[in-house]
Amino acid sequence: MIVVMKPGASQQQIDHVIERIEQLGLRSHVIVGTERTVIAALGEKRDGAKQALETGDGVEKVVPILAPYKMASTEVKKEPTRIDVLGLAVGQEHIGVIAGPCSVESREQIMEIAGIVKESGASALRGGAFKPRTSPYSFQGMKEKGLQLLAEARDKTGLAVVTEVMAPEHVPLVARYADVLQVGARNMQNYPLLEAVGESELPVLLKRGPSATMDEFLLAAEYILKTGNTHVMLCERGIRTFEDHTRFTLPLATVPYLHQTTHLPVVVDPSHGTGKASLVAPMAVAAVAAGADGIIVEVHPDPEKALSDGFQALTPTAFRHMMADCRKVATALGKKM
Ligand code: PEP
Ligand code: MN
């Protein structure tokens, strides 16, 4: 339920409603708006709770939240959420660009690509140190050494570091080096991991599971939001379909759909979404046109030699062209990129 306070309700009245919500065995989440405060009362439905709260001083009305995801829903918060971390701004009129290799491979590789993507206008550096690979025989990432190199690249360029964390017990380690924790597609429904990244209080980039529905995706985000961490970005990275001309199918209608249903910003990953370098830039441009708040894209100094996902990595030159094209669309839409 949402308790909508009257405009000008006093702090004492707000505190009283919070106390009543908690006495009813529900959790409260306060959202202070420009005109009025609303308080979400979250938990299992209780008979009589609506009536009990409606009689509170300063309460205008109590309305049920219809969406199964409560805190992610636009029913609770209409203004779009913006994530700001170092120079990365994602949401509202800002389009953030997160670029870098699939995996951190060496100091030379990450330093070189960090400088290149920074110079081309990216606002964050991506790179996996813990890699979720389909085969246990494939390169698994440089682990802590990779994190140290990412932090060194941040120190040198000022770019925020976005990197994946695969297990709840790795969260403290990854959080020491990262600015944004990425939860990979394969882990979208790893609920202990979602709670652990929530508790880290760092911004989270949550990737959509390749077979997850929108409700499942938003309920996964809800696990993070429920910890009190509201810095969540949703990332569409493609789903599994019968198509075999692309690695996954990248459904861009997700972007406007999510903007209708949630206040959380939406990032698109055209690299994993297509799995083909030649398709990445056009889909990045299309994502911006569809209203994406961010793009995450794989760029490698020498894609042929990449230890993972080289086939979908942009060269530095292709990335520069992608940026120029995306910027034209962003400018036409009145956005900053
Ligand atoms: C990645 O971005 O490095 C990655 C592994 O992507 P996904 O989880 O979307 O497959
Ligand atoms: Mn990859």
Side-chain angles (χ1 to χ4, degrees):
M1 287 171 297
I2 309 170
V3 182
V4 182
M5 301 302 291
K6 289 180 179 153
S10 69
Q11 190 57 47
Q12 207 181 356
Q13 290 170 332
I14 294 168
D15 289 343
H16 180 71
V17 170
I18 294 171
E19 200 182 303
R20 288 293 294 133
I21 289 172
E22 281 157 18
Q23 282 166 357
L24 288 161
L26 301 167
R27 286 163 56 95
S28 61
H29 175 70
V30 182
I31 298 144
V32 182
T34 44
E35 279 175 30
R36 63 178 90 225
T37 296
V38 304
I39 308 164
L42 307 167
E44 290 288 326
K45 227 188 240 158
R46 286 279 199 106
D47 289 342
K50 180 171 186 288
Q51 291 74 3
L53 293 169
E54 246 160 11
T55 55
D57 275 348
V59 173
E60 184 169 291
K61 59 181 175 184
V62 178
V63 285
I65 307 172
L66 299 175
Y69 36 90
K70 309 293 178 194
M71 293 177 62
S73 170
T74 44
E75 292 176 55
V76 168
K77 180 172 180 276
K78 295 217 168 10
E79 319 86 77
T81 293
R82 176 167 138 194
I83 309 294
D84 279 292
V85 47
L86 298 181
L88 175 67
V90 178
Q92 298 172 353
E93 74 282 20
H94 293 267
I95 301 174
V97 178
I98 305 164
C102 179
S103 309
V104 182
E105 298 169 0
S106 66
R107 171 176 280 110
E108 298 67 46
Q109 175 240 22
I110 198 70
M111 293 302 161
E112 182 183 356
I113 206 65
I116 288 169
V117 300
K118 161 96 186 181
E119 188 228 318
S120 303
S123 32
L125 176 66
R126 63 150 290 143
F130 288 89
K131 293 302 303 176
R133 303 305 303 280
T134 302
S135 164
Y137 304 112
S138 302
F139 174 59
Q140 303 285 311
M142 291 181 76
K143 317 263 165 74
E144 186 167 6
K145 182 71 202 157
L147 296 173
Q148 287 164 352
L149 294 174
L150 285 165
E152 202 178 315
R154 171 189 46 222
D155 293 345
K156 205 166 144 221
T157 59
L159 292 170
V161 165
V162 181
T163 195
E164 179 161 356
V165 57
M166 285 170 55
E169 61 273 22
H170 293 165
V171 170
L173 171 72
V174 180
R176 270 212 297 283
Y177 299 98
D179 301 297
V180 175
L181 296 177
Q182 177 175 326
V183 174
R186 294 158 183 82
N187 264 322
M188 189 204 82
Q189 286 178 310
N190 180 339
Y191 301 119
L193 179 63
L194 298 175
E195 286 169 348
V197 294
E199 277 151 21
S200 78
E201 295 179 16
L202 283 180
V204 178
L205 180 78
L206 175 65
K207 293 194 129 193
R208 178 186 184 181
S211 66
T213 63
M214 284 293 106
D215 276 11
E216 287 164 344
F217 190 19
L218 287 163
L219 283 166
E222 195 76 11
Y223 269 85
I224 304 168
L225 297 171
K226 187 170 174 280
T227 66
N229 182 344
T230 54
H231 313 292
V232 179
M233 294 171 260
L234 301 169
C235 178
E236 174 55 81
R237 48 77 73 211
I239 53 173
R240 182 56 60 77
T241 70
F242 57 83
E243 293 283 16
D244 58 5
H245 70 294
T246 47
R247 184 177 180 188
F248 291 93
T249 296
L250 186 59
L252 289 179
T254 305
V255 179
Y257 176 81
L258 285 171
H259 283 153
Q260 287 165 19
T261 49
T262 177
H263 51 86
L264 298 173
V266 183
V267 173
V268 171
D269 176 347
S271 303
H272 295 88
T274 62
K276 279 197 179 133
S278 65
L279 303 180
V280 170
M283 292 311 283
V285 174
V288 173
D293 303 296
I295 301 290
I296 180 166
V297 62
E298 290 185 346
V299 190
H300 195 283
D302 188 357
E304 264 189 359
K305 299 211 181 95
L307 296 183
S308 60
D309 287 358
F311 46 83
Q312 67 191 29
L314 294 182
T315 61
T317 306
F319 178 63
R320 255 192 301 278
H321 289 142
M322 183 208 93
M323 286 297 288
D325 287 346
C326 286
R327 279 212 177 97
K328 285 184 203 153
V329 177
T331 305
L333 292 174
K335 301 217 182 142
K336 300 188 183 76
M337 183 169 165

